[in-house]
Amino acid sequence: MREISVTLRAALALTLLTSACGDDPRPNVLLYVADTLRADDLACYGNPLIETPHVDRLAAEGSLFENAYAQSSWTRTSMASLLTSTYPAVHGVEGRMEALAEEMRVLPEMLSEAGYTTAAITGNPNIGSAFGFRQGFDEFFELYERRDAGRVRVGEFVTTADRVSEVAIEWIDRASEPFFLLVLSIDPHSPYEPPPEFDRFGGDYQGSASGKPEFINRLDLSRQDKQRIRALHYGEVAFNDHAFGKLVDDLEARGLYDRTAVIFVSDHGEEFWEHGGRGHGKTLFEEVVHVPLILRLPGRVAAGERVARPVELVDVVPTVLEFSDLPIPADIQGISLLALPAAQRLIQSRLVLDGTEINAVRLGPNKLIEEARGSSKLFDLGRDPGEKESVSEGFGEQRRALERMLVKSRQDNEILRVRLRGSSAPVSVRPDDLSPEVVRELERLGYIETEKDGG
Ligand SMILES: [Zn+2]
């Protein structure tokens, strides 16, 4: 029965394609975000333990970016960067209470104004209307109960990846083209509770570990418990892959797959005790900022290509605008993935949460993590991909260069923040960090007044 209905639907879609939809050459866009997914969680990124056939297929038919970076290590900050193509200090969605400002331009607004039908399906309250993320969407599906802004608790993540895909499929069924659909699937975020048929990556564990927060955050876990917890996370990754596959199958059955740009990405990764802790939103090590990014659009994106050049979440907006033949605004900070420069570029991540401020910049194999102003660690990811030991001897020049770039990026971000969001109080930049030219620029914008005390 299912087979027949799919065939009929495909035939109907083909008829519609040749009549109503034939005029607009712009592709639909599916931006699929798997919440809390590390690059090395996926088989197509080299994980030998897991099975992720649907994402692997997307990679085989599109381009996989081997070195993709999230702009932060928790949902709200990273998603704001993904949707605005600006770095965290610019959009300012950083603390527990911060919402996306109305004056920030988001991708759905740009596409909606250009005639796209837009919708979001979100399984994470951090990306809800309470935090300003409804802007630009014709329809906005929040799959949880939430009344107030403020700190989101894991218990609010009540939906599952397959429910998210179901709602997406129902929407696609009535969406006019071209459409932009943002899907934020909450699995594999904790709690790690995969359906039993996906809980198959754990070996023969005998203990009592569960994927609930009260267990996974305990401090007395054995090595076997930790392996089991990681395996439960893998179960959720595989379940998410399955749900993503259902959505792709549906696009294919409707004849939409080849004219829909499919972008598969994550907002951040997850720590499993590599540096002592578990979870995310605490550090900026590779396990939380190195994310998957895969792009498929036949005719525009090479099939089966693996791109080693580093890219960032902020690159998604200009890429979509390029697909859609729309102008790329001057005020965005990403670069289209279709036109990556050959030269090395600076990758930026930042975390300002719960009283800490961490900044990280990467250029080539060198990554500088500044955990407090004036105190930084340099890692050589070429020799030490796990960031186990910071380097000092023989790296003085690289360290100074990255420190200068961090200062420069801080100034550039502050100038752009003021230009885009006006003269509200600075969030994190202190006057001592500013160069004379930045001070002049801020004065010109009416943002600060120079003291003229002369003494
Ligand atoms: Zn997240």
Side-chain angles (χ1 to χ4, degrees), residues 117-137:
T117 311
T118 57
I121 293 145
T122 163
N124 186 331
N126 279 305
I127 307 307
S129 46
F131 291 109
F133 283 88
R134 188 168 187 338
Q135 45 189 299
F137 291 107

Side-chain angles (χ1 to χ4, degrees), residues 1-9:
M1 196 61 204
R2 166 84 181 146
E3 299 277 281
I4 292 168
S5 79
V6 166
T7 311
L8 283 174
R9 274 214 308 248

Side-chain angles (χ1 to χ4, degrees), residues 319-335:
T319 308
V320 171
L321 294 176
E322 187 166 348
F323 284 154
S324 312
D325 293 323
L326 291 170
I328 296 175
D331 281 344
I332 66 172
Q333 295 181 290
I335 300 170

Side-chain angles (χ1 to χ4, degrees), residues 173-193:
D173 189 50
R174 58 190 163 81
S176 58
E177 295 183 68
F179 64 73
F180 169 70
L181 176 60
L182 168 68
V183 174
L184 178 62
S185 172
I186 192 60
D187 298 307
H189 196 293
S190 68
Y192 312 133
E193 296 177 314

Side-chain angles (χ1 to χ4, degrees), residues 33-37 73-76 78-79 124 126-127 157 184-186 189 266-270 280:
V33 184
D35 200 316
T36 319
L37 183 65
S73 58
W74 78 294
T75 310
R76 208 183 313 143
S78 260
M79 288 297 292
N124 186 331
N126 279 305
I127 307 307
F157 303 152
L184 178 62
S185 172
I186 192 60
H189 196 293
S266 178
D267 55 346
H268 54 80
E270 187 86 319
H280 55 268

Side-chain angles (χ1 to χ4, degrees), residues 275 283-286 289 349 357-362 366-372 374-379 381 387 390 399 402-403 406:
H275 291 89
T283 73
L284 292 176
F285 291 115
E286 293 291 285
V289 293
S349 303
E357 176 184 328
I358 310 174
N359 289 279
V361 283
R362 179 183 173 175
N366 298 316
K367 178 173 168 185
L368 187 83
I369 301 180
E370 186 199 66
E371 297 208 345
S375 162
S376 60
K377 287 181 177 161
L378 182 70
F379 296 94
L381 297 178
E387 296 154 294
S390 64
R399 174 189 292 276
L402 277 174
E403 284 172 347
L406 180 58

Side-chain angles (χ1 to χ4, degrees), residues 340-368:
L340 290 173
Q344 283 192 336
R345 63 187 287 211
L346 193 73
I347 300 294
Q348 304 183 29
S349 303
R350 179 174 153 91
L351 180 69
V352 181
L353 197 60
D354 302 336
T356 59
E357 176 184 328
I358 310 174
N359 289 279
V361 283
R362 179 183 173 175
L363 187 72
N366 298 316
K367 178 173 168 185
L368 187 83

